[in-house]
Amino acid sequence: MFINISFAPVETAFREFVSHYGFIFDAIKGVLLQVFLVPLEDALRGAPPWLILLGVGLIAYHATRHWLPPLFYVLCLYLVGCFGLWDKLMSTTALMLVSTAICVVFGIPIGILISRSNWLRAIALPILDVMQTMPSFVYLIPMIFLWGVGQVSAIFAIVVYAIPPLIRLTDLGIRQVDREVVEAATSFGTTPWQLLLNVQLPLARPSIMAGINQTVMMALAMVVLATLIGARGLGETVNQGIANLEIGTGLQGGVAIVLLAIVIDRITQAYGMDARQRRQRLLKGGSFANFQRTTGEKA
Amino acid sequence: MNKIEVRQVYKVFGAQEKAGLALALQGLGKDKVLYQTSCTLALQDVTLSIPAGQVFVIMGLSGSGKSTLIRLFNGLIRPSAGEILLDGQDVARLDARGLRELRRHKVSMVFQGFGLLPHKTTLENAAFALLTRGEPKDKALEAGRLWLDRVGLKGYEAKYPDELSGGMRQRVGLARALAADPEVLLMDEAFSALDPLIRTDMQDQLLQLQKDLHKTIIFVTHDLDEALRIGNQIAILYHGRLVQVGSPQEILTRPANDYVRRFVEKRAGQPQAAPAEGPASG
Ligand SMILES: Nc1ncnc2c1ncn2[C@@H]1O[C@H](COP(=O)(O)OP(=O)(O)OP(=O)(O)O)[C@@H](O)[C@H]1O
Ligand SMILES: [Mg+2]
């Protein structure tokens, strides 16, 4: 009854492709590992933990303009250290930072491009849908073909999974900028670049930051899966727990990932507010005053 | 000497612009064009002369094509056919760079919803035109400060738009437009979003400024009182066609048709010349 349809030739073609152009992927791998991931991971793991904790505290203060939340975040990470997982925490953080950086470097420009053309957007949206719904294992296989088992495959698997929300939210943010503001800026003779840099991107910022936040969260969600193709880090602990049926170990790894997620989520969310909102929070001492001010304005 | 000449301008919005234009050129009206091509005929055979140094008002009900017409003068909208000569130069034929130059130096615009940048201070907004055309920052800010002072906003330089009232915001809009020192000032229902008292204040202020500046001001409104108050000449649009152009006196005493007469009578029916027409009647 069924005619036979097989995707096996895809594999042959893919092997053929890799055998000819493999050097390109080797080069990418080399740069990514030697220039970015390895130095970053070494630095994070080599640095004294108190320095890292202090750094996180300062970044969190810069983001929130409060002292209490940063203290809480530092405590979260300290707790991971108490689990004996500090080293793995640093590996995961390095992996996540590099993946996120790649997402940002490609995702935001792609989002900007899509926002400028309806047909580009019509092409891109279904592709993003596929990237988000396709089971990750499916694209883990070609990644391994290209880069073998290891950190680089893990990074690209994470990027494929985590980049769509950033592209979508960049596009959305730019499209949602008040039309009259864009028209007004144009009426004073802005170049397309001036319009993008001085008007569209600043006004799309909350949306773009929400995209980065989502991307980081999704990258973290991939951390466990990524260890299956050779990533180091907290995912290893979880997998070890699963493999050996050690409930405690698995739980520790899981809780550590959640704690890291909380810290990163809060910090990136705080950066979603613009500099002015944050400054006002500092001046007026607390988000409540800020909240009152904005709601009062609308009333 | 006329600053601007509009010659046989048509504007058709929609996917079948060409077909719609062909029908409009045959003299078919807005309804027929819409019915046959589902395109909106926003302007039909508009020919106008706008003298330099005057306040020229464009009036009409909602949808009559006022915003479309005023946007032809700085190329925010391109006509489907016709010429818009500004100092003899056809705005409709300018390329992107030419339009930029025109907007940076010659023509500024004030918007109904203000169109201020919410993430910039009042001062940065006022200096926006100058910063955009690349003047040194200190000079641009200095000019911005001067103009904020002139529209009565001294002391508000560091505020953000959402901290100002509607009237103050539009003063920033006015300062921003004037800081560029344009020859032509376009104002699209610039005061329509303001409540009646503030609106009269703003009209007074505009007239006061105009006494020294002698700009060519093109002012769109749907309010006859406003038109009579500030206009040296008034043009009335109806369904994209120009039905009358004349001085306020001419409009009042010799309305060209029933449409114009209705405007005038509605006003005559009021006890006073106060701007008491219901808000957003357009
Ligand atoms: N971008 C556009 N696409 C399609 N149709 C448009 C567009 N802009 C305006 N129109 C149509 O053109 C006609 C004239 O619109 P315009 O905005 O010039 O009217 P207006 O006189 O300014 O009205 P209002 O008082 O409501 O601002 C209307 O029928 C409107 O629906
Ligand atoms: Mg309008």
Side-chain angles (χ1 to χ4, degrees):
Chain A
M1 184 173 85
F2 296 109
I3 54 166
N4 187 12
I5 298 178
S6 162
F7 281 1
V10 175
E11 187 181 329
T12 329
F14 195 71
R15 278 177 196 275
E16 190 71 12
F17 175 75
V18 173
S19 65
H20 280 91
Y21 298 100
F23 65 95
I24 298 176
F25 298 97
D26 287 343
I28 294 175
K29 179 177 181 170
V31 170
L32 211 52
L33 274 184
Q34 302 315 321
V35 181
F36 296 103
L37 187 62
V38 172
L40 181 65
E41 195 176 342
D42 286 352
L44 288 177
R45 289 167 69 184
W50 63 263
L51 192 65
I52 305 267
L53 289 175
L54 184 71
V56 170
L58 287 177
I59 292 173
Y61 175 74
H62 184 246
T64 61
R65 303 286 165 170
H66 281 287
W67 279 115
L68 217 55
L71 216 63
F72 172 69
Y73 307 149
V74 168
L75 206 69
C76 285
L77 296 188
Y78 178 76
L79 206 61
V80 177
C82 300
F83 293 167
L85 296 175
W86 184 262
D87 215 34
K88 295 212 161 75
L89 176 69
M90 289 302 106
S91 296
T92 295
T93 306
L95 186 67
M96 195 210 61
L97 286 179
V98 172
S99 314
T100 308
I102 295 176
C103 286
V104 168
V105 166
F106 289 96
I108 293 180
I110 293 175
I112 293 171
L113 267 172
I114 292 177
S115 75
R116 304 178 84 90
S117 134
N118 283 331
W119 67 266
L120 263 183
R121 184 170 193 251
I123 295 171
L125 289 189
I127 297 176
L128 295 180
D129 285 335
V130 170
M131 284 165 74
Q132 280 185 299
T133 45
M134 172 110 63
S136 328
F137 282 103
V138 176
Y139 51 78
L140 289 185
I141 304 165
M143 298 282 170
I144 293 172
F145 261 113
L146 294 177
W147 290 293
V149 171
Q151 304 268 61
V152 176
S153 290
I155 287 175
F156 280 102
I158 293 173
V159 169
V160 171
Y161 182 68
I163 204 172
L166 181 55
I167 296 178
R168 276 180 210 279
L169 284 166
T170 303
D171 168 57
L172 187 71
I174 291 180
R175 283 174 188 266
Q176 276 179 343
V177 173
D178 186 348
R179 276 195 55 218
E180 199 176 35
V181 174
V182 172
E183 193 182 39
T186 313
S187 82
F188 286 101
T190 51
T191 61
W193 275 111
Q194 284 178 322
L195 190 66
L196 184 69
L197 295 179
N198 300 332
V199 181
Q200 292 172 310
L201 283 181
L203 295 183
R205 179 194 157 117
S207 183
I208 294 174
M209 284 310 297
I212 293 179
N213 173 274
Q214 293 245 311
T215 291
V216 181
M217 290 294 110
M218 291 178 73
L220 267 182
M222 273 293 276
V223 156
V224 176
L225 212 58
T227 47
L228 293 181
I229 54 171
R232 285 194 292 270
L234 294 170
E236 284 178 294
T237 313
V238 176
N239 282 329
Q240 186 192 332
I242 296 173
N244 306 340
L245 284 179
E246 299 168 7
I247 297 177
T249 312
L251 202 60
Q252 269 190 341
V255 170
I257 292 175
V258 170
L259 289 175
L260 179 61
I262 291 174
V263 173
I264 293 175
D265 179 48
R266 290 304 132 103
I267 292 177
T268 48
Q269 275 198 23
Y271 274 118
M273 287 187 288
D274 61 34
R276 177 177 154 227
Q277 280 172 318
R278 279 185 280 140
R279 196 168 57 240
Q280 263 165 1
R281 279 180 73 162
L282 182 68
L283 287 178
K284 302 202 174 175
S287 54
F288 183 64
N290 196 39
F291 173 75
Q292 276 184 318
R293 195 189 65 77
T294 40
T295 47
E297 189 74 33
K298 283 188 189 119
Chain B
M1 171 56 198
N2 287 326
K3 185 79 181 166
I4 302 177
E5 298 270 358
V6 178
R7 290 199 186 142
Q8 285 156 10
V9 160
Y10 290 74
K11 178 65 198 183
V12 178
F13 286 110
Q16 303 185 52
E17 187 176 338
K18 285 249 164 60
L21 178 63
L23 294 179
L25 284 168
Q26 292 166 24
L28 273 68
K30 189 168 177 166
D31 300 343
K32 291 233 169 68
V33 172
L34 183 66
Y35 180 73
Q36 292 195 15
T37 64
S38 26
C39 290
T40 307
L41 179 55
L43 291 174
Q44 183 169 25
D45 198 13
V46 174
T47 299
L48 266 182
S49 298
I50 300 178
Q54 292 197 1
V55 181
F56 189 94
V57 174
I58 299 168
M59 232 187 76
L61 294 179
S62 187
S64 56
K66 308 180 296 289
S67 296
T68 307
L69 179 56
I70 200 171
R71 278 165 177 69
L72 297 175
F73 301 128
N74 61 355
L76 285 175
I77 292 179
R78 301 254 179 177
S80 303
E83 293 179 329
I84 300 106
L85 303 176
L86 201 163
D87 290 334
Q89 182 189 40
D90 190 356
V91 175
R93 278 161 201 262
L94 290 175
D95 59 3
R97 164 177 298 216
L99 272 182
R100 238 175 2 246
E101 285 306 304
L102 177 85
R103 292 168 183 167
R104 286 179 172 193
H105 298 281
K106 264 193 154 165
V107 184
S108 291
M109 189 157 177
V110 183
F111 294 81
Q112 178 171 11
F114 318 129
L116 301 176
L117 298 178
H119 62 296
K120 302 270 192 196
T121 62
T122 302
L123 180 59
E124 287 165 330
N125 266 292
F128 181 78
L130 301 173
L131 292 170
T132 297
R133 71 185 186 209
E135 299 199 2
K137 190 159 183 184
D138 49 340
K139 263 180 131 178
L141 292 181
E142 193 45 51
R145 199 167 280 124
L146 204 88
W147 278 102
L148 282 179
D149 191 9
R150 247 182 123 165
V151 298
L153 284 179
K154 200 177 176 66
Y156 289 90
E157 290 85 356
K159 296 273 186 224
Y160 286 85
D162 65 357
E163 296 168 315
L164 304 179
S165 71
M168 291 160 121
R169 282 185 219 180
Q170 197 54 300
R171 281 166 209 245
V172 180
L174 195 57
R176 173 174 69 175
L178 289 173
D181 193 24
E183 295 163 21
V184 178
L185 186 62
L186 308 176
M187 305 182 75
D188 186 5
E189 307 224 20
F191 304 150
S192 298
L194 308 175
D195 50 56
L197 283 179
I198 309 276
R199 195 162 164 178
T200 327
D201 282 351
M202 293 293 289
Q203 292 163 1
D204 290 341
Q205 179 161 42
L206 182 67
L207 292 176
Q208 198 61 42
L209 286 166
Q210 174 67 352
K211 266 192 200 156
D212 310 330
L213 297 173
H214 307 295
K215 306 269 182 207
T216 305
I217 300 179
I218 301 174
F219 193 103
V220 163
T221 180
H222 57 246
D223 176 359
L224 183 64
D225 287 304
E226 189 166 57
L228 296 173
R229 201 141 183 260
I230 65 173
N232 299 110
Q233 277 210 72
I234 300 174
I236 298 182
L237 278 176
Y238 176 67
H239 282 196
R241 285 178 195 259
L242 205 58
V243 292
Q244 187 170 8
V245 185
S247 68
Q249 205 53 43
E250 282 168 344
I251 301 283
L252 281 179
T253 53
R254 272 173 286 138
N257 62 13
D258 282 348
Y259 174 71
V260 182
R261 199 166 298 124
R262 282 221 309 280
F263 265 111
V264 174
E265 278 165 4
K266 203 169 158 211
R267 178 175 179 277
Q270 289 170 4
Q272 264 242 319
E277 191 180 329
S281 67

